[in-house]
Each structure stands twice: as structure tokens, then as C-alpha cells.
Amino acid sequence: MAIRLLDSHLHFWRIGGPGQVWPDADWPRIHRDFLPADLRAEAEGYGLIGAVLVQSQPDDRDTDWMLTLDDPLIRAIVTWVDLADGGAPDRIRHLAAQPRVRGVRPMLQGIADTDWILQPALDPAIRALLDTGLRFDALIQPRHLPVLHRFASRWPDLSIVIDHAAKPDIAAGELDPWRDGIAALAQLPNVWCKLSGLRTEQAPEQPVEALRPYVAHLLACFGERLMWGSDWPVLRHAGDSYGTWVETTLELVGPQTPDARDRLVAGAAAAFYNIDV
């Protein structure tokens, strides 16, 4: 089955590089450099036409390093910005002027205050995102779903994508209340979702079949606003290879028309991030 992949979510890093603190030695399968040449080698034969490079470090230095990577596979870049910093609007305008930058990701999962994104002090930064047309990647956990609904409702013109389907507790087999929170967010037209990162949320002994109800719910809720992502190389932590996750995804989503399959694995990401494919 010939497909073309526009990967909506992957990372590059250099161990010991600018601002790099994760992964460390506690993540042995991914504690090494991962760069475009490594991606090409692992994705060979799977129709990869481009990718969205997403920040992995909460540090401006890492973002600046990402911008130096010159490879035609990098079709868009999602950067980190400290939205609470007084200089955030200027930083956002600077980043938006870089041709490949399409969005920001503040890494909400690592912030203890679940309601952090709702504070009025962030409003100038959010307005700068709207003014520049940048998107918002929401790296969240199930605890954030009601908060993200309030945030997305407050900023209806801000394009938002949920990373890794909000990381449901698949290891425990929990569908609720994640299921209701996802369904509510999918009712908002400015919210999209990434079908990525799910294997990392599984327990080591769980089969991929345990992902089926989660994938089915995401397809039913988001439809054409669901985009495939590899979360490479983090997926290697779960023992997967790039190709394994491609094949697993296609098996889990089941039979699709060619147009629907292309929308999932390429078209949705192209539409959300404004990438010409």
C-alpha cells in the first residue's frame, strides 16, 4: 500500500547540546543524538515526504538550535516560548518571522498548576500568537482537558492541536473521563488532535490491540481534524520503530478510502500547519 506521510510530530536533539536536559541516562533507548540522517534511515520505504519538528526542551537555546537545522524534510517547526515572560510577545514575533516556524508549545504537562494556561498574565503572548498566525500545540494530560476547553473557548480564533491525544492512561485501561473530555473539545472547531504518542502510554506487557478503543474514539470525534504523528524518536522508548508505528496505526484505524487515509497521514497536518504538499 503506497502512502505519503507528512509526520505531524517528531523531535531532533543532540545530547549535551544547547539547552538539552532530556532525555537523560534514565531513558537508555533514546539517550543519544537523533538528527535528520537518523530519521531518513529509519523511515526509509514508508513514503515520508516531510515532518513537523517539535521542541523537546523548555529552553530558548534549543529553539534557536532547531532553527539552524537545514534539511528539506523539516517542513515546519513548533518552538518553545516562555509565555509568562514579559518579553514573550516580542519573542513570538521574532519566531513568526522565521519561514518554517508554525507554532509554539509551552509543555503544559510539566507545569504543576493545571490551570496555568488560564492566567490573565499570559494574554499578551496569546494575542501575539493570534496576530502572527502561529498555532498552539497543547502538550497536556487528561487533567488538563476541562482547562483546555475553557482556554480554547476563550480564544476561538487560535488554532490548537492536542499532542498525543492528551496522553490517556492506557496502562491502566482507563477510558473515562478522558473520553468525555476529548469529545467535548472536538466540538470546538479550532481544536485538532494528533494520533501520536500512544504506545509510550502503554504498560510494557500491553499489546497494541489495547489502543483500539482510544483510536476509534479519536477518529469518531475529530474526523478530518485528526493527524498522524510518529513522536519519533520517543516511540523507541516503547520498543517501536518508525515503520512499526506506521503499520500499527494503519491496522488500528481499519479500512479507509484513499482520501481518508491521505487526510490522516498527510492532509490534516498540512492543513493545520499550512504546509504545501
Side-chain angles (χ1 to χ4, degrees), residues 136 138 140 144-153 160 162 185 191:
F136 185 94
I140 61 171
H144 296 99
L145 290 172
V147 173
L148 187 64
H149 192 281
R150 291 169 61 191
F151 176 75
S153 299
I160 298 169
I162 304 169
L185 276 163
V191 179

Side-chain angles (χ1 to χ4, degrees), residues 98-271:
Q98 314 307 310
R100 295 176 297 171
V101 172
R102 296 290 191 278
V104 303
R105 186 171 84 145
M107 302 186 81
L108 301 180
Q109 71 168 11
I111 299 173
D113 179 5
T114 301
D115 294 340
W116 182 86
I117 193 59
L118 298 178
Q119 58 182 304
L122 306 185
D123 288 1
I126 305 305
R127 291 194 186 98
L129 294 178
L130 289 169
D131 291 344
T132 57
L134 292 186
R135 289 79 168 157
F136 185 94
D137 265 58
L139 178 61
I140 61 171
Q141 298 164 327
R143 64 186 169 100
H144 296 99
L145 290 172
V147 173
L148 187 64
H149 192 281
R150 291 169 61 191
F151 176 75
S153 299
R154 180 186 294 177
W155 303 99
D157 295 326
L158 180 65
S159 295
I160 298 169
V161 63
I162 304 169
D163 289 351
H164 314 323
K167 298 194 168 186
D169 192 354
I170 302 169
E174 291 186 359
L175 277 163
D176 299 315
W178 170 85
R179 183 160 42 188
D180 289 342
I182 284 290
L185 276 163
Q187 294 299 309
L188 303 177
N190 60 322
V191 179
W192 300 52
C193 189
K194 293 185 182 181
L195 179 53
S196 61
L198 298 184
R199 287 283 286 138
T200 312
E201 302 307 312
Q202 289 193 273
E205 70 277 5
Q206 279 184 306
V208 295
E209 186 65 23
L211 300 179
R212 191 171 297 277
Y214 299 91
V215 173
H217 186 60
L218 294 169
L219 281 167
C221 288
F222 283 99
E224 291 192 345
R225 286 177 289 134
L226 185 67
M227 63 188 77
W228 179 85
S230 68
D231 197 26
W232 181 92
V234 182
L235 62 84
R236 294 168 62 101
H237 179 70
D240 268 5
S241 67
Y242 197 96
T244 299
W245 177 238
V246 174
E247 294 164 2
T248 295
T249 304
L250 294 177
E251 196 280 324
L252 288 171
V253 300
Q256 292 182 300
T257 66
D259 285 348
R261 187 176 62 244
D262 183 72
R263 179 72 181 185
L264 175 66
V265 301

